[in-house]
Coordinates of all heavy atoms in Angstrom, one line a residue:
P181 N -37.5 -12.3 -17.8 CA -36.9 -12.1 -19.0 C -37.4 -10.9 -19.7 O -36.7 -10.3 -20.7 CB -37.2 -13.4 -19.7 CG -38.3 -14.0 -19.1 CD -38.2 -13.6 -17.7
D182 N -38.7 -10.4 -19.5 CA -39.2 -9.2 -20.1 C -38.9 -8.0 -19.3 O -38.3 -7.0 -19.8 CB -40.7 -9.4 -20.3 CG -41.0 -10.5 -21.3 OD1 -40.3 -10.6 -22.2 OD2 -42.1 -11.2 -21.1
D183 N -39.3 -8.0 -18.0 CA -39.2 -6.8 -17.2 C -37.8 -6.5 -16.8 O -37.4 -5.3 -16.6 CB -40.0 -7.0 -15.9 CG -41.5 -7.1 -16.2 OD1 -41.9 -6.7 -17.3 OD2 -42.2 -7.7 -15.4
D184 N -36.9 -7.5 -16.7 CA -35.5 -7.3 -16.3 C -34.5 -7.7 -17.4 O -33.4 -8.2 -17.1 CB -35.3 -8.2 -15.0 CG -36.3 -7.9 -13.9 OD1 -36.4 -6.7 -13.6 OD2 -36.8 -8.8 -13.4
A185 N -34.9 -7.5 -18.6 CA -34.0 -7.9 -19.7 C -32.7 -7.2 -19.7 O -31.6 -7.7 -20.0 CB -34.7 -7.5 -21.1
D186 N -32.7 -5.9 -19.3 CA -31.5 -5.1 -19.3 C -30.5 -5.6 -18.1 O -29.3 -5.7 -18.3 CB -31.8 -3.6 -18.9 CG -32.4 -2.9 -20.1 OD1 -32.4 -3.5 -21.2 OD2 -33.0 -1.8 -19.9
E187 N -31.1 -5.9 -17.0 CA -30.3 -6.5 -15.9 C -29.7 -7.9 -16.3 O -28.5 -8.1 -16.0 CB -31.1 -6.7 -14.7 CG -31.5 -5.4 -13.9 CD -32.6 -4.7 -14.6 OE1 -33.2 -5.2 -15.6 OE2 -33.0 -3.6 -14.1
I188 N -30.5 -8.7 -17.0 CA -29.9 -10.0 -17.4 C -28.8 -9.8 -18.4 O -27.8 -10.5 -18.3 CB -31.1 -10.9 -18.0 CG1 -32.1 -11.2 -16.9 CG2 -30.6 -12.2 -18.6 CD1 -33.4 -11.9 -17.4
A189 N -29.0 -8.8 -19.4 CA -28.0 -8.6 -20.3 C -26.7 -8.2 -19.7 O -25.6 -8.5 -20.1 CB -28.6 -7.6 -21.3
A190 N -26.8 -7.3 -18.7 CA -25.7 -6.8 -18.0 C -24.9 -7.9 -17.3 O -23.7 -7.9 -17.2 CB -26.0 -5.7 -17.0
L191 N -25.7 -8.8 -16.7 CA -25.1 -9.9 -15.9 C -24.4 -10.9 -16.9 O -23.3 -11.4 -16.6 CB -26.2 -10.7 -15.1 CG -26.7 -10.0 -13.9 CD1 -27.9 -10.7 -13.3 CD2 -25.6 -9.8 -12.9
L192 N -25.0 -11.1 -18.1 CA -24.3 -11.9 -19.1 C -23.0 -11.3 -19.6 O -22.0 -12.0 -19.8 CB -25.3 -12.2 -20.2 CG -26.4 -13.2 -19.9 CD1 -27.3 -13.2 -21.1 CD2 -25.8 -14.7 -19.7
E193 N -23.1 -9.9 -19.7 CA -21.9 -9.3 -20.1 C -20.7 -9.5 -19.1 O -19.6 -9.7 -19.4 CB -22.2 -7.8 -20.4 CG -20.9 -7.0 -20.9 CD -21.3 -5.5 -21.2 OE1 -22.5 -5.2 -21.2 OE2 -20.4 -4.7 -21.3
A194 N -21.2 -9.4 -17.8 CA -20.2 -9.5 -16.7 C -19.7 -10.9 -16.6 O -18.4 -11.2 -16.4 CB -20.8 -9.1 -15.4
T195 N -20.6 -11.9 -16.9 CA -20.2 -13.3 -16.9 C -19.2 -13.6 -18.1 O -18.3 -14.3 -17.9 CB -21.4 -14.2 -17.0 OG1 -22.4 -13.8 -16.0 CG2 -21.0 -15.6 -16.8
E196 N -19.5 -13.0 -19.2 CA -18.6 -13.2 -20.3 C -17.1 -12.7 -20.0 O -16.1 -13.3 -20.4 CB -19.1 -12.4 -21.6 CG -18.2 -12.6 -22.8 CD -18.8 -11.9 -24.0 OE1 -19.9 -11.2 -23.9 OE2 -18.2 -12.0 -25.1
A197 N -17.1 -11.5 -19.4 CA -15.8 -11.0 -18.9 C -15.1 -12.0 -17.9 O -13.9 -12.2 -17.9 CB -16.0 -9.6 -18.3
L198 N -15.9 -12.5 -17.0 CA -15.4 -13.5 -16.0 C -14.8 -14.7 -16.8 O -13.6 -15.1 -16.5 CB -16.5 -14.0 -15.1 CG -16.2 -15.1 -14.2 CD1 -15.2 -14.8 -13.2 CD2 -17.5 -15.7 -13.6
V199 N -15.5 -15.2 -17.8 CA -15.0 -16.4 -18.5 C -13.7 -16.0 -19.2 O -12.8 -16.9 -19.3 CB -16.1 -16.9 -19.4 CG1 -15.6 -18.0 -20.4 CG2 -17.3 -17.5 -18.7
N200 N -13.7 -14.9 -19.9 CA -12.5 -14.5 -20.7 C -11.3 -14.3 -19.7 O -10.2 -14.7 -20.1 CB -12.8 -13.2 -21.4 CG -13.8 -13.4 -22.6 OD1 -13.9 -14.5 -23.1 ND2 -14.4 -12.4 -22.9
G201 N -11.6 -13.8 -18.5 CA -10.5 -13.6 -17.6 C -9.9 -14.9 -17.1 O -8.8 -15.0 -16.9
I202 N -10.8 -15.9 -16.8 CA -10.4 -17.2 -16.4 C -9.5 -17.8 -17.5 O -8.5 -18.4 -17.3 CB -11.5 -18.1 -16.1 CG1 -12.3 -17.5 -14.8 CG2 -11.1 -19.5 -15.8 CD1 -13.6 -18.2 -14.5
D203 N -9.9 -17.7 -18.8 CA -9.2 -18.2 -19.9 C -7.8 -17.6 -20.0 O -6.8 -18.3 -20.4 CB -9.9 -18.0 -21.2 CG -11.2 -18.8 -21.3 OD1 -11.2 -19.9 -20.6 OD2 -12.1 -18.5 -22.1
D204 N -7.7 -16.3 -19.6 CA -6.4 -15.6 -19.8 C -5.5 -15.9 -18.5 O -4.3 -15.6 -18.7 CB -6.7 -14.1 -19.9 CG -7.3 -13.7 -21.2 OD1 -7.2 -14.5 -22.2 OD2 -7.9 -12.7 -21.3
A205 N -6.0 -16.3 -17.4 CA -5.2 -16.5 -16.3 C -4.2 -17.6 -16.5 O -4.5 -18.6 -17.3 CB -6.1 -16.9 -15.1
Q206 N -3.0 -17.6 -15.9 CA -1.9 -18.5 -16.2 C -2.2 -19.9 -15.5 O -2.2 -20.0 -14.3 CB -0.6 -17.9 -15.7 CG 0.6 -18.8 -16.2 CD 1.9 -18.2 -15.6 OE1 2.2 -18.2 -14.5 NE2 2.7 -17.7 -16.6
A207 N -2.5 -20.9 -16.3 CA -2.6 -22.3 -15.8 C -1.4 -23.0 -15.8 O -0.3 -22.6 -16.5 CB -3.7 -23.0 -16.6
W208 N -1.2 -24.0 -15.0 CA 0.0 -24.8 -15.0 C 0.4 -25.3 -16.3 O 1.6 -25.3 -16.7 CB -0.2 -26.0 -14.0 CG 1.0 -26.8 -13.7 CD1 1.4 -28.0 -14.1 CD2 2.1 -26.3 -12.8 NE1 2.7 -28.3 -13.7 CE2 3.1 -27.3 -12.8 CE3 2.4 -25.1 -12.1 CZ2 4.3 -27.2 -12.2 CZ3 3.6 -25.1 -11.4 CH2 4.5 -26.1 -11.4
E209 N -0.5 -25.8 -17.1 CA -0.2 -26.4 -18.4 C 0.3 -25.3 -19.4 O 0.8 -25.7 -20.5 CB -1.5 -27.0 -19.0 CG -2.7 -26.1 -19.2 CD -3.8 -26.8 -19.8 OE1 -3.9 -28.1 -19.7 OE2 -4.7 -26.2 -20.4
D210 N 0.1 -24.0 -19.1 CA 0.7 -23.0 -19.9 C 2.2 -22.9 -19.8 O 2.8 -22.3 -20.8 CB 0.1 -21.6 -19.6 CG -1.4 -21.6 -19.8 OD1 -1.9 -22.3 -20.7 OD2 -2.1 -20.8 -19.1
L211 N 2.8 -23.4 -18.8 CA 4.2 -23.4 -18.5 C 4.9 -24.4 -19.3 O 4.4 -25.5 -19.6 CB 4.6 -23.5 -17.1 CG 3.9 -22.6 -16.1 CD1 4.4 -22.9 -14.7 CD2 4.3 -21.1 -16.5
S212 N 6.1 -24.1 -19.8 CA 7.0 -25.2 -20.4 C 7.4 -26.1 -19.3 O 7.3 -25.9 -18.1 CB 8.2 -24.5 -21.0 OG 9.1 -24.0 -20.0
V213 N 7.9 -27.3 -19.7 CA 8.4 -28.3 -18.8 C 9.4 -27.7 -17.8 O 9.4 -27.9 -16.6 CB 9.0 -29.5 -19.6 CG1 9.7 -30.5 -18.5 CG2 7.9 -30.3 -20.2
R214 N 10.4 -26.9 -18.3 CA 11.5 -26.4 -17.5 C 10.8 -25.4 -16.5 O 11.3 -25.3 -15.4 CB 12.5 -25.7 -18.4 CG 13.5 -26.7 -19.0 CD 14.7 -26.1 -19.6 NE 15.6 -27.1 -20.1 CZ 16.7 -26.8 -20.8 NH1 17.0 -25.5 -21.1 NH2 17.5 -27.7 -21.2
Q215 N 9.9 -24.6 -17.0 CA 9.2 -23.7 -16.1 C 8.5 -24.3 -15.0 O 8.5 -23.9 -13.8 CB 8.3 -22.8 -16.9 CG 8.9 -21.8 -17.8 CD 7.9 -21.0 -18.7 OE1 6.9 -21.6 -19.1 NE2 8.2 -19.7 -19.0
Q216 N 7.8 -25.4 -15.3 CA 7.1 -26.2 -14.3 C 8.1 -26.8 -13.2 O 7.9 -26.6 -12.0 CB 6.4 -27.4 -14.9 CG 5.1 -27.0 -15.7 CD 4.5 -28.1 -16.4 OE1 4.9 -29.3 -16.3 NE2 3.5 -27.9 -17.2
L217 N 9.2 -27.3 -13.7 CA 10.2 -27.8 -12.8 C 10.9 -26.8 -12.0 O 11.1 -27.0 -10.8 CB 11.2 -28.7 -13.6 CG 10.7 -30.0 -14.2 CD1 11.8 -30.6 -15.2 CD2 10.4 -31.0 -13.1
R218 N 11.1 -25.7 -12.6 CA 11.7 -24.6 -11.9 C 10.9 -24.1 -10.7 O 11.3 -23.8 -9.7 CB 12.1 -23.4 -12.9 CG 12.9 -22.3 -12.2 CD 13.4 -21.3 -13.2 NE 14.4 -21.8 -14.1 CZ 14.2 -22.1 -15.4 NH1 13.1 -21.9 -15.9 NH2 15.2 -22.6 -16.1
A219 N 9.5 -24.0 -11.1 CA 8.6 -23.6 -10.1 C 8.5 -24.5 -8.9 O 8.1 -24.2 -7.8 CB 7.2 -23.4 -10.7
Q220 N 8.8 -25.8 -9.1 CA 8.8 -26.8 -8.0 C 10.1 -27.1 -7.4 O 10.3 -28.0 -6.6 CB 8.2 -28.2 -8.6 CG 6.8 -28.0 -9.1 CD 6.3 -29.2 -9.8 OE1 5.7 -30.1 -9.2 NE2 6.5 -29.3 -11.1

């Protein structure tokens, strides 16, 4: 945590981008009922 603080900070920044990207990806529940049925 002392010697590699910059690397840890960079990894946390990358992880935050990962989490945000997952949140933005289209999940099944994001679709309306008709969109879900049309997809099936």
Side-chain angles (χ1 to χ4, degrees):
D182 293 326
D183 298 337
D184 303 309
D186 291 342
E187 287 80 358
I188 294 173
L191 288 171
L192 283 173
E193 184 177 346
T195 307
E196 182 179 0
L198 170 69
V199 171
N200 291 336
I202 294 172
D203 289 341
D204 292 339
Q206 189 181 67
W208 186 256
E209 64 181 15
D210 295 333
L211 301 180
S212 68
V213 170
R214 281 190 176 177
Q215 288 173 325
Q216 290 177 0
L217 290 172
R218 187 172 290 110
Q220 295 173 92

